Amino acid sequence: MKRLFILGAGSMAESFIKGIVEEGVIDPRDIFVCNRSRHERLMELREWYGITPAESVARAADSDLVILAVKPYDMMEALRQLRPHLSNQVILSFAAGIPIDAIRRATGGHPYIIRTMPNVPVAVMQGAIALSAPPTVPRDKLDRVIEMLAGLGQVVEIEEGLMDAATAFSGSGPGFISYLLEAMEQAAVDLGFEPELARKLLVQTVIGTAHVLREWNLSPSELRRRVTSPNGTTHAGVEVMKSRGVYDAIIEAVQRAAVRAEEMGREYTREA
Ligand SMILES: NC(=O)c1ccc[n+]([C@@H]2O[C@H](COP(=O)([O-])OP(=O)(O)OC[C@H]3O[C@@H](n4cnc5c(N)ncnc54)[C@H](OP(=O)(O)O)[C@@H]3O)[C@@H](O)[C@H]2O)c1
């Protein structure tokens, strides 16, 4: 990929830009970014990452890859603006819930559409990126996109039918994990810690746990059992979580997020 065009300069676009610039496979000046109205945001991104602000969506015309990074509810309007400037580019959508078929219809049958669900850690090259492409995307085009994304984290190719599920636990995952950490930090403060000091230990605990799960190839329940001695501290805490239904609440939260992704897809693509 030589030239990228990013439609939408919000937080996901910035995480992606940060990672891709750090990866160093594309000259930041060849990353063109367009917003709807907030021009000052483009100036910021130019200052921080060296990207080129695009004055209009017409800049998409001479790009190899067009990234859709607008909110799902803005997608159909954005595609209407983009459509006259499309030819052979590969389109990569970040949008939660929006099916490939809706993008295809809104672009007059564009064949090269890839749907992804990245998450914010792509900014530090530790992202989880679910990706799905229809058979109309030739393997070599898909491989080039996967190669670029692989520098930003773990890429997993899935069927499109699983995309709303990936959105729920992986796209929204950093938010859910942060919510758990909010509670743990509050507990640490209640027990006498300064928040910053507690956060140092908490963040490292998450990083360390993730590394152990991966490097020892353990399931989360195996690791939990290993660190839970009978009548010990972890056991005491987990018993409270069990009695308060935390496990079921988390399952329900992820399921609700998946349903919401699906609802958004229906709500925001009605006109397509
Ligand atoms: N945030 C996440 O963690 C995350 C994770 C995975 C996937 N995603 C997906 O990434 C997408 C973007 O999310 P976000 O959180 O980055 O949203 P955001 O911060 O609200 O940014 C969206 C940007 O899109 C711009 N925009 C809207 N309509 C446009 C148009 N017609 N042409 C050009 N620019 C337009 C807006 O510009 P103005 O401000 O000028 O209106 C805004 O800067 C969503 O579809 C979301 O589902 C997000």
Side-chain angles (χ1 to χ4, degrees):
M1 299 289 160
K2 288 199 199 84
R3 195 176 267 227
L4 306 191
F5 178 83
I6 304 181
L7 192 67
S11 60
M12 194 60 229
E14 181 177 355
S15 298
F16 175 79
I17 291 167
K18 193 169 185 305
I20 213 84
V21 167
E22 209 152 298
E23 191 184 356
V25 290
I26 294 167
D27 185 333
R29 288 169 299 184
D30 290 328
I31 303 175
F32 293 81
V33 189
C34 175
N35 230 3
R36 182 170 39 198
S37 52
R38 281 183 307 140
H39 191 66
E40 68 286 359
R41 170 72 173 154
L42 300 180
M43 295 301 122
E44 259 173 21
L45 294 179
R46 176 167 71 181
E47 194 187 321
W48 297 337
Y49 309 108
I51 58 94
T52 305
E55 55 296 337
S56 91
V57 76
R59 270 290 192 169
D62 51 5
S63 306
D64 312 296
L65 182 68
V66 173
I67 294 177
L68 306 176
V70 302
K71 287 284 192 200
Y73 49 75
D74 286 325
M75 186 59 91
M76 291 302 118
E77 176 57 28
L79 291 174
R80 238 191 312 279
Q81 295 161 0
L82 183 66
R83 184 172 170 172
H85 311 290
L86 290 175
S87 51
N88 273 329
Q89 305 94 323
V90 173
I91 295 179
L92 185 65
S93 171
F94 287 171
I98 307 288
I100 291 172
D101 202 45
I103 300 174
R104 185 185 298 118
R105 277 181 278 134
T107 52
H110 194 80
Y112 311 132
I113 301 165
I114 300 173
R115 182 173 166 193
T116 50
M117 181 41 59
N119 61 12
V120 158
V122 294
V124 291
M125 291 146 125
Q126 293 293 335
I129 306 162
L131 172 144
S132 185
T136 49
V137 180
R139 192 70 227 181
D140 62 318
K141 285 187 192 290
L142 183 58
D143 283 344
R144 257 179 283 146
V145 170
I146 291 177
E147 199 184 317
M148 176 189 77
L149 294 175
L152 304 182
Q154 176 73 61
V155 181
V156 176
E157 229 180 303
I158 59 174
E159 284 174 25
E160 198 189 2
L162 288 175
M163 211 38 128
D164 291 337
T167 303
F169 67 81
S170 170
S172 298
F176 294 153
I177 291 167
S178 295
Y179 189 65
L180 297 180
L181 290 177
E182 269 178 69
M184 288 173 80
E185 186 180 301
Q186 183 58 52
V189 168
D190 292 346
L191 290 165
F193 259 83
E194 288 297 323
E196 293 72 28
L197 200 55
R199 202 169 302 161
K200 270 191 188 163
L201 291 175
L202 280 170
V203 168
Q204 185 53 44
T205 301
V206 174
I207 294 171
T209 305
H211 276 283
V212 165
L213 285 171
R214 182 149 65 187
E215 282 161 37
W216 294 357
N217 199 20
L218 293 178
S219 72
S221 79
E222 278 167 337
L223 179 57
R224 176 176 58 80
R225 282 198 205 97
R226 278 198 197 195
V227 299
T228 309
S229 28
N231 255 334
T233 56
T234 313
H235 181 256
V238 168
E239 284 306 301
V240 174
M241 292 192 203
K242 282 185 178 168
S243 74
R244 300 289 288 260
V246 172
Y247 187 89
D248 289 340
I250 291 171
I251 290 177
E252 205 179 316
V254 173
Q255 285 173 341
R256 180 70 195 105
V259 169
R260 184 63 199 131
E262 200 257 325
E263 283 170 3
M264 292 197 307
R266 262 187 289 118
E267 273 170 43
Y268 303 136
T269 61
R270 257 186 214 128
E271 54 197 305

